[in-house]
Amino acid sequence: MKKILKSIVLLVAFTIVMPQVYAQVSLGINISARIAPPALPVYTQPVCPGDGYIWTPGYWAYADPDGYYWVPGVWVRPPHVGVLWTPAYWGYVGGVYGFHAGYWGPHVGFYGGVNYGFGYGGVGFGGGVWAGNVFRYNTAVANVNTTVVHNTYINKTVINNNTTINNNRTSFNGPGGVNASPNEQERSAMNENHMQPTSNQMDHQQTASRDHNQFASVNHGAPATTAMNRVNGRSFNQQGRIANGISSGKLNAGETKNLENREANLNKEVRTDRADNGGHLTGQERNQVNNQQNKLSNSIDADKHNANNANYGNNEVGQRKANQQQRIAQGIRNGQMNDRQAARTENREQNINRNVNTDRRANDGRLTAQQHRQINHQQNRASRQISHQRHG
């Protein structure tokens, strides 16, 4: 409670003392720090829980003296129709990192040029638009179950700004961070009426501040919960953990295929249950899904810590396999590859790996020129398939 009160006192102080400097955010700077916030963690977006929710990306908040803690990205209901969320950001000026609080308004304002992903590529918001009293979701960047939510469209032009936080994970604006300043539209948005975060959003941040696993001093920049489907809902970081396991080589193609198949089957089960219950899950179904997610989480952890690591070898074929796996991991992180696509892709990679191993055993550990050409042909086909799945 003392930490929260301190933030409120600082909020009032900064807003009163420095209104001209920080007028772009009506809430001003509510806290400052002498050290830079950590890089943005890698995660995937949970499925939108239903009509009317808007995605608010995760961010690093600060609590003295414990330091930075991660507030998970979450789907929330806006205070009323017609408003959009401008994310919080850290700005470095004069040797101090100042926190600019997020806010609701008719248009998206300046958020430091930070690429939060999922429609927040550094400028504006590409995840959806208001059409009268209905919010329409851009499924090119938003994870929406279209069998439940029908107010959707596709605008792939924003994907170039949605390389998300695994390519450029810088979390602050200013020297050493993102070099960006407000454009004309963002300056105009600064002068509009703004609304503070909802009580649900404030509760969400306070919950994160009470969880020591969210603090960078404990998790070293990899928080336990990176995203949630709604405030007080279920944490969602399975796909991000799988992608990290692929990148590090701790998950091989066979393990990834099995995990992604299980994730796909679970998601299909959830969609079927929702369709049978008017878009909702019963209490029993929700408990069942939680139990299955817990089992899957344990399997991810077990697979990442067993002895079956991906071994690519220091050779041309091995490098090609390693490159393919990195592209798959990138697609999973970005949400450009769903679980079914990832499972099919890893099945192909597993088959190629089996062929390589069989050929090497038959030739004293080497591949003939013909076998090299055959493997390259198979990898070229797999590469085209990955590109097609990621960019549709």
Side-chain angles (χ1 to χ4, degrees):
M1 178 60 73
K2 289 182 179 179
K3 294 176 185 175
I4 297 169
L5 289 175
K6 182 174 182 179
S7 293
I8 294 173
V9 171
L10 284 170
L11 162 64
V12 174
F14 273 102
T15 303
I16 294 173
V17 175
M18 308 175 74
Q20 290 81 20
V21 178
Y22 300 110
Q24 69 266 34
V25 178
S26 58
L27 297 180
I29 293 180
N30 64 352
I31 201 163
S32 61
R34 290 288 179 181
I35 59 174
L40 298 171
V42 172
Y43 65 94
T44 53
Q45 187 185 59
V47 175
C48 179
D51 271 326
Y53 284 84
I54 292 180
W55 178 251
T56 60
Y59 58 94
W60 290 105
Y62 189 90
D64 190 31
D66 299 314
Y68 290 101
Y69 62 94
W70 180 253
V71 180
V74 65
W75 290 97
V76 300
R77 289 194 178 277
H80 60 73
V81 300
V83 294
L84 298 169
W85 177 247
T86 295
Y89 74 96
W90 289 90
Y92 183 65
V93 178
V96 174
Y97 296 89
F99 182 70
H100 299 256
Y103 59 90
W104 295 97
H107 300 93
V108 176
F110 183 63
Y111 51 93
V114 176
N115 183 4
Y116 288 106
F118 315 115
Y120 298 96
V123 178
F125 176 54
V129 295
W130 285 100
N133 292 333
V134 175
F135 189 78
R136 299 183 64 220
Y137 300 87
N138 179 13
T139 55
V141 294
N143 190 2
V144 177
N145 180 359
T146 55
T147 62
V148 176
V149 177
H150 304 292
N151 308 312
T152 63
Y153 66 100
I154 298 177
N155 178 8
K156 294 184 178 180
T157 61
V158 301
I159 291 179
N160 289 333
N161 289 327
N162 197 47
T163 51
T164 64
I165 44 194
N166 42 292
N167 277 344
N168 181 7
R169 297 167 55 205
T170 305
S171 62
F172 66 94
N173 174 275
V178 179
N179 182 20
S181 56
N183 60 30
E184 184 178 347
Q185 291 79 12
E186 289 168 328
R187 283 196 174 92
S188 176
M190 292 174 189
N191 298 318
E192 296 175 333
N193 291 326
H194 301 152
M195 287 158 283
Q196 65 182 355
T198 65
S199 59
N200 263 357
Q201 289 176 282
M202 296 302 295
D203 289 344
H204 183 64
Q205 178 172 328
Q206 290 171 16
T207 298
S209 73
R210 292 191 290 266
D211 185 349
H212 75 282
N213 291 314
Q214 296 300 104
F215 279 84
S217 58
V218 174
N219 59 52
H220 308 293
T225 302
T226 50
M228 303 180 73
N229 64 342
R230 67 180 81 195
V231 175
N232 297 321
R234 180 171 180 86
S235 63
F236 186 92
N237 57 2
Q238 306 283 52
Q239 289 295 86
R241 292 172 62 206
I242 290 173
N244 287 345
I246 296 171
S247 291
S248 66
K250 292 180 180 179
L251 289 177
N252 61 35
E255 290 170 334
T256 304
K257 178 190 72 173
N258 292 332
L259 292 170
E260 290 287 26
N261 272 329
R262 288 174 59 187
E263 185 75 42
N265 290 333
L266 177 55
N267 289 336
K268 182 179 179 181
E269 179 184 325
V270 171
R271 288 194 297 269
T272 301
D273 289 342
R274 287 189 183 278
D276 292 340
N277 293 287
H280 304 286
L281 293 177
T282 66
Q284 182 180 353
E285 289 168 342
R286 191 173 293 108
N287 289 335
Q288 183 177 349
V289 169
N290 280 337
N291 289 335
Q292 289 172 291
Q293 284 283 17
N294 289 337
K295 289 179 181 178
L296 180 60
S297 178
N298 292 336
S299 294
I300 294 172
D301 189 63
D303 286 345
K304 288 175 69 173
H305 293 90
N306 63 20
N308 300 325
N309 294 342
N311 184 12
Y312 304 117
N314 187 21
N315 53 63
E316 180 184 348
V317 172
Q319 186 59 51
R320 188 78 189 273
K321 289 193 292 185
N323 292 342
Q324 298 283 59
Q325 289 300 97
Q326 292 303 318
R327 293 178 65 207
I328 294 169
Q330 177 112 343
I332 293 172
R333 286 194 187 110
N334 287 356
Q336 294 171 331
M337 293 181 71
N338 62 35
D339 37 36
R340 288 283 184 204
Q341 292 170 331
R344 287 196 297 269
T345 301
E346 289 289 31
N347 184 54
R348 284 193 297 272
E349 290 296 319
Q350 187 181 31
N351 289 335
I352 294 173
N353 294 342
R354 286 197 188 108
N355 291 341
V356 171
N357 293 335
T358 300
D359 290 342
R360 288 190 187 279
R361 283 196 298 269
N363 293 286
D364 297 324
R366 293 183 291 274
L367 293 176
T368 66
Q370 181 180 356
Q371 289 166 340
H372 264 289
R373 286 193 295 271
Q374 184 179 357
I375 294 301
N376 272 333
H377 179 68
Q378 290 174 303
Q379 286 286 23
N380 287 339
R381 291 181 61 187
S383 181
R384 287 193 295 270
Q385 197 103 26
I386 293 170
S387 179
H388 175 73
Q389 289 172 339
R390 287 182 57 188
H391 303 293

